[in-house]
Amino acid sequence: MERSFDSEIELLRLGEGESFRGEGILAITKGLLQSGVAYVGGYQGAPVSHLLDVLVSATPYMNEMGVHVESCANEAAAAAMLAASINYPVRGAVTWKSIVGTNVASDALSNLASAGVKGGALIVIGEDYGEGASVIQERTYAFAMKSTIALVDPRPNLTSMVDAVETAFALSEASNMPVMMQLRIRACHVQGSFVARDNKRSEFGTHNKIADPAHFEYKRLAHPPVTFAQESLKVTDRIPAAQDFVRDNKLNEQWPGRKTSRIGLIIQGGLYNTVQRQLHELGLADEHGNADIDILCLNVTFPMVPDEIVDFSKGKDHLLVMEEGNPAFMEQQMLRWLVDAGYAGKLHGKNYLPMAGEYTGEVLAECLGRFFTELGAPELDVDSARTRAERMDYVTRTARAVSDIQLPPRPPGFCTGCPERPVFGAIKLAEKTIGKVHVAADIGCHAFGTFAPFNQGNSILGYGMSLASNAAVEAMQQRHTLAIMGDGGFWHNGIQTGVTSNLYNRGDGVLLIMQNGYSSATGQQFLPSSHKDSAVFGTDSDIKRSLETLGVKWIRTVRTYSVETMVKTLKDAFTTAEKGLKVIIADGECMLARQRRERGEKAKAMKEGRRVEQAKFGVDEEVCTGDHSCIRLSGCPTLTVIPNPDPLRSDPIAHVQQDCVACGLCGEMAHAAVLCPSFYRASRIYNAGPFERLLYKVRSKVIGALAEAA
């Protein structure tokens, strides 16, 4: 990873009373150090990638603090790290994207939750849900309930989030339960400040290692027959202990209303900012967050404390539970407790709020407006709220109408110069000869190949799962199937779940591995097969050698930008009579990482007076036919159309914009598809040598003479 985190690392060193200013996920990282964490692990994934990125970059400081840091092979490996807290009084934290990462880690988490922990065990969950999400839309709450893992959902401001880290460790130790901290996308990226405290060294760590192993205690194993007792302990001891800790330490917060106590809102902590903003827009709260109605903010959403819900309901005619996701787990639990307590009012929830989807400001504005206007509470300025709600609804409907009419859709796509774009163009060209094939897509940048103009992909079943998802399809297809995965997916899951399973079952089919050298979609983190040496991690692993060791016979490595060669290789893979798995390794470094690396190298070379060449591509306006096949086949975002300068031709012609990174795909695609030869390559030479300067003068004179003759 070429990005520098020096400024972030300095923030981690802040001491007592100093002001920390930054984004949410970095504040969480600082909170871990203030809590005396002994070890940290995880697997990269938005929106929590920076937590691990910064700690990995801060390895010297982590060594100084005695904190062990691991960049794990996948989320299951990260969850298994928490086993250290089962037997030893050390605090540990791991992180990943949820819900997908939690699914991968589920086996280890279930066993961890069954055995219970002695030291604090914290899982920082990046809840990738709603706007900006890149995974399936499910909530982590169901998993926390299933396995009896406490779930913390702090208010999204830096002080509350950092305090929640420290209290989460204490909650884990008080209840012997692992704790999940749920951080929504907006919470991870919220900007703010808090007053820092000194970082704490763990009693035990890499600086002060434990002399002797823990005593053997069978009850700490997640294994029958003690698993039956562990399941009982969850209900009889751990949940009550967690509820007592939440109640005694007032982790959930209440604010009395300025005008009425007959109406109350019960909200998840992560929704607090959005709810307050919409109450203010409706005229039911001031700019400081003082609302007209009572609010109970649940910073710990599992386990909830029945007494707090019942006490909050006293004297209220209406309660509105604001719970994202489906089913309405929290609402159902509250309803049971309130019925048992004889609550005479009415509990509202999903009858006003959507069953699924993120509760954005737009969604909450409509739902809260409808809730308050239908209740018609005399203590509240309902007429003003209704007027404001109607105005907000008008603005929303007007914006939608404008976007539906005037703005074209803008789906995400490959970066400019991405080495994976040529491969999908090659697949389209190969299909002209071999016919359409079933394509199993995967998680990663290459999933953008499912969008126009490529539209390649029949299924996505998980990270590194593409080859496994083709197992039954391949057996029932007349033509071979194609599975696509990245090098990140290969090491995460694909090598075992896909390749090993295929070989064991003597399968067939074609596997295309995008080898760009990094876990690119999450920020260019290193992989076991990354070419650049890391000062911290590295195995010198190689995908091709690994495949050969497993027994794959048919392996081809092709440069991704060599479109013609890639087309030929794809045709060979689909038409060969050779049985068994065919693997094509599409090799091309991530363009973002390459540009970031080369920018510094070129700047240094220019400063030192060394020769630097900067290439650009363009379109010869007189040669371009206006067919635009180059755009349809490559999908390059720097290719566009402009009016034809020839007054005798009306069709617009292709044009290369200035953000071209000179990957050469346009020319390669035109050659492989036998399109018009209108692309040209021009190079700008910095610090040119004597021969190049002389050649430039000669060329200029010749071109000038020809121009005069014309």
Side-chain angles (χ1 to χ4, degrees), residues 10 20 55 69 74 138 165 230 232 236 265-266 279 294 315 324 350 399 446 461 475 485 500 512-513 682 691 695 701:
E10 288 305 309
F20 177 107
L55 290 182
V69 180
N74 55 33
E138 294 181 4
V165 172
Q230 290 168 354
S232 179
T236 60
L265 298 184
I266 303 177
L279 289 175
D294 293 356
E324 276 186 326
K350 296 298 184 183
H446 41 84
L461 266 293
M485 72 174 69
T500 304
L512 180 60
I513 300 175
F691 177 76
L695 184 61
K701 289 183 178 180

Side-chain angles (χ1 to χ4, degrees), residues 411-547:
F414 293 109
C415 300
T416 302
C418 175
E420 297 176 0
R421 176 182 284 109
V423 179
F424 287 96
I427 294 172
K428 291 182 70 173
L429 292 177
E431 285 184 326
K432 291 183 178 180
T433 302
I434 63 177
K436 292 291 292 182
V437 299
H438 177 96
V439 177
D442 210 284
I443 300 296
C445 294
H446 41 84
F448 291 135
T450 59
F451 294 115
F454 307 112
N455 305 114
Q456 297 283 346
N458 296 95
S459 63
I460 296 180
L461 266 293
Y463 198 24
M465 300 289 283
S466 59
L467 182 57
S469 71
N470 262 0
V473 180
E474 171 71 28
M476 295 183 289
Q477 291 269 318
Q478 294 181 0
R479 200 174 291 123
H480 283 315
T481 58
L482 175 64
I484 300 174
M485 72 174 69
D487 42 3
F490 176 83
W491 294 116
H492 177 274
N493 204 348
I495 186 172
Q496 178 179 350
T497 307
V499 176
T500 304
S501 180
N502 181 284
L503 295 174
Y504 179 74
N505 289 281
R506 299 180 181 178
D508 212 329
V510 181
L511 171 62
L512 180 60
I513 300 175
M514 303 285 193
Q515 182 174 263
N516 62 32
Y518 305 87
S519 180
S520 297
T522 56
Q524 291 89 47
Q525 290 86 4
F526 288 126
L527 299 170
S529 54
S530 295
H531 294 301
K532 181 174 174 58
D533 293 331
S534 166
V536 185
F537 306 112
T539 63
D540 194 32
S541 298
D542 182 82
I543 292 178
K544 184 178 180 181
R545 289 203 310 267
S546 299
L547 291 168

Side-chain angles (χ1 to χ4, degrees), residues 615-682:
K616 287 288 183 181
F617 281 76
V619 175
D620 189 323
E621 297 176 350
E622 295 183 0
V623 178
C624 178
T625 63
D627 173 68
H628 309 146
S629 294
C630 53
I631 297 176
R632 292 192 295 272
L633 280 173
S634 73
C636 177
T638 65
L639 275 178
T640 184
V641 293
I642 59 173
N644 199 315
D646 188 340
L648 300 179
R649 298 166 61 193
S650 59
D651 291 337
I653 60 172
H655 175 72
V656 180
Q657 296 176 321
Q658 288 302 306
D659 49 344
C660 167
V661 296
C663 68
L665 171 60
C666 48
E668 289 278 357
M669 188 63 71
H671 177 72
V674 196
L675 306 179
C676 68
S678 57
F679 289 100
Y680 65 83
R681 182 181 187 273

